[in-house]
């Protein structure tokens, strides 16, 4: 099974990708994690290409595709993949379709976590982290010190309204043509999330309802 997960920063993509990967027994491919791993390994064949990130530069669609193609040979992705943080552009999406079709495979569906900016602001502005173990909490939990380290929780510098708004707008603009492409080519599940304190479990439940509906439509169609 091959799934693409879309959603703005703070949408809970990583959490849902983890849950889906366990459930379908497929690998969770976080492109961000892969790139960070390559940057830690100077002997990696793609290290020289990827290190431009450290100079604050964006890497090209071609290079991201190369990294993904390279990672797909990892045994943990043999049964399938949930892609998290990739593709980001329609060019990358087309490249991914090509890679998969060369292997006789294709995407099963795209899951779009369409979280409203209001929900993102609530989540991210209320986020507090332990400066030592980096564990993440939310002010609604009523905790001010880390239960493990005893240190006072702090707010990350980039968890401010201006940065969140900037990232959200950037995501919205950049993902327009990507969403358009997928809506025309691939089974597409869009989950609108506008409830401020919705839990990860509730989102997971909603995903399952939509998946069930999709399978029913398929069986009937
Ligand atoms: Zn801690």
């Amino acid at each position: 099974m091959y799934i693409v997960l879309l959603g703005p920063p703070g949408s809970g993509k990583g959490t849902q990708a983890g849950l889906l990967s366990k459930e379908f027994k497929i690998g969770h491919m976080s492109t961000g994690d892969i790139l960070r791993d390559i940057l830690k390994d100077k002997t990696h064949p793609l290290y020289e290409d990827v290190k431009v990130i450290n100079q604050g530069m964006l890497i090209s669609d071609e290079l991201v595709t190369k990294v993904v193609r390279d990672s797909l040979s990892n045994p943990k992705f043999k049964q399938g993949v949930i892609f998290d943080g990739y593709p980001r552009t329609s060019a990358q999406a087309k490249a991914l379709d090509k890679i998969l079709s060369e292997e006789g495979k294709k995407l099963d569906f795209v899951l779009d976590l369409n979280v409203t900016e209001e929900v993102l602001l609530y989540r991210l502005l209320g986020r507090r982290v332990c400066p030592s173990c980096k564990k993440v909490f939310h002010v609604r939990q009523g905790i001010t010190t880390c239960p493990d380290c005893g240190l006072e929780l702090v707010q990350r510098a980039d968890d401010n309204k201006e940065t969140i708004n900037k990232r959200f707008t950037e995501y919205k603009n950049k993902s327009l043509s990507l969403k358009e492409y997928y809506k025309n080519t691939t089974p597409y599940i869009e989950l609108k999330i506008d409830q401020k304190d919705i839990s990860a479990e509730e989102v997971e439940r909603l995903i399952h309802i939509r998946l069930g509906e999709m399978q029913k439509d398929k069986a009937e169609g």
Side-chain angles (χ1 to χ4, degrees), residues 130 132-135 146 148-149:
C130 169
S132 172
C133 70
K134 309 290 174 203
K135 217 168 158 192
C146 177
D148 297 329
C149 313

Side-chain angles (χ1 to χ4, degrees), residues 130-167:
C130 169
S132 172
C133 70
K134 309 290 174 203
K135 217 168 158 192
V136 181
F137 302 87
H138 194 273
V139 286
R140 70 165 171 245
Q141 292 169 277
I143 300 169
T144 54
T145 53
C146 177
D148 297 329
C149 313
L151 290 174
E152 194 172 335
L153 303 177
V154 296
Q155 190 165 19
R156 283 187 198 150
D158 53 356
D159 283 346
N160 65 73
K161 212 169 169 177
E162 203 190 345
T163 309
I164 296 165
N165 178 273
K166 202 178 131 208
R167 278 203 229 125

